[in-house]
Amino acid sequence: MPIQVDLEERRRAAILEAAGALIAERGYHAVRIADIARLVGTSTGAVHYYFPGKNDVLTAALRHSVERAFERQSAVLAAIDDAHQRLLKLIDMQLPMVGGVRDEWSVWIQFWAEATIHPELRPVHNQFYARWQETVARIVRRGQRQGVFLAEVDVDGVTRRLTALTDGAAIQVLTGAPGMTVTVMRELLVEFVRRELIPPGNR
């Protein structure tokens, strides 16, 4: 039985990897179940066995993408004690450079669009978004305890502003907004942290 379960999990993961890659490359509405099946080397029936509908694939692909990103971030951030350096590292890991992180952003943006017109997708989105905000909030609180961040800062407020700035800048990078690059995005976020969180004497 454990071998069968492991095989099922590997098949499901392969489908999600393929779905995420195709959605990131072509866009959600341009991807068919048949495309996912072809990339995995299986049948459309096998894909439907795990995911009855296309929205199920999108939701699961987002979940897979988010879980993978959180696992990656958690492993890296845990090794950094200083909260300021930890937050800067988190910023670096959010930059939509070419490769896996850019693909994850593409899936995120398309999920946002679908959640805008399909309310049933919003609870899933909000669950993941709360997790992303809590990651930032924990680092800010850690920095306050360590004395590297301003003690009087409203943690929830600065978390909302930083995550909103991150999302807005990433959208501009991905859509090719004039003057917005990965480098500019990083500069904006680092400057926000410096201005909002670092005590004046340490800036």
Side-chain angles (χ1 to χ4, degrees):
M1 183 63 72
I3 294 176
Q4 180 63 29
V5 171
D6 185 55
L7 181 59
E8 295 271 328
E9 285 300 315
R10 288 204 304 271
R11 286 173 177 168
R12 187 177 186 277
I15 291 170
L16 291 178
E17 290 285 347
L22 289 171
I23 291 168
E25 177 187 353
R26 303 180 187 178
Y28 173 66
H29 291 287
V31 176
R32 302 171 303 164
I33 295 297
D35 298 324
I36 299 171
R38 187 178 303 110
L39 185 58
V40 176
T42 190
S43 66
T44 56
V47 177
H48 283 301
Y49 170 78
Y50 294 97
F51 309 103
K54 193 172 173 181
N55 269 355
D56 298 306
V57 175
L58 175 62
T59 303
L62 175 68
R63 187 183 299 276
H64 183 70
S65 177
V66 169
E67 293 292 344
R68 185 174 56 186
F70 274 117
E71 288 173 4
R72 183 175 66 248
Q73 290 171 9
S74 296
V76 173
L77 297 180
I80 304 173
D81 180 66
D82 180 85
H84 185 199
Q85 295 305 314
R86 185 178 286 200
L87 190 54
L88 293 180
K89 186 61 178 181
L90 179 61
I91 287 172
D92 286 342
M93 297 180 77
Q94 297 297 317
L95 299 176
M97 299 179 182
V98 175
V101 176
R102 191 180 184 92
D103 288 349
E104 289 167 1
W105 271 109
S106 180
V107 174
W108 255 116
I109 290 173
Q110 292 172 72
F111 194 88
W112 287 339
E114 291 302 305
T116 301
I117 56 178
H118 297 293
E120 66 273 15
L121 296 177
R122 295 174 191 172
V124 175
H125 168 272
N126 293 337
Q127 174 190 350
F128 292 146
Y129 208 84
R131 188 172 175 182
W132 151 228
Q133 290 185 320
E134 181 55 30
T135 298
V136 174
R138 280 199 305 269
I139 297 175
V140 174
R141 294 189 193 100
R142 181 186 186 89
Q144 289 178 321
R145 292 194 302 270
Q146 292 178 340
V148 297
F149 291 157
L150 291 167
E152 64 271 21
V153 163
D154 173 22
V155 175
D156 291 338
V158 79
T159 295
R160 283 193 296 271
R161 294 195 299 277
L162 180 55
T163 52
L165 183 60
T166 301
D167 294 339
I171 289 171
Q172 291 184 50
V173 170
L174 289 165
T175 55
M180 180 57 72
T181 64
V182 168
T183 299
V184 173
M185 175 179 171
R186 187 182 191 281
E187 291 172 351
L188 283 174
L189 298 177
V190 170
E191 172 58 20
F192 176 90
V193 170
R194 187 193 69 81
R195 185 180 66 250
E196 298 287 334
L197 290 172
I198 305 300
N202 297 334
R203 293 176 185 172

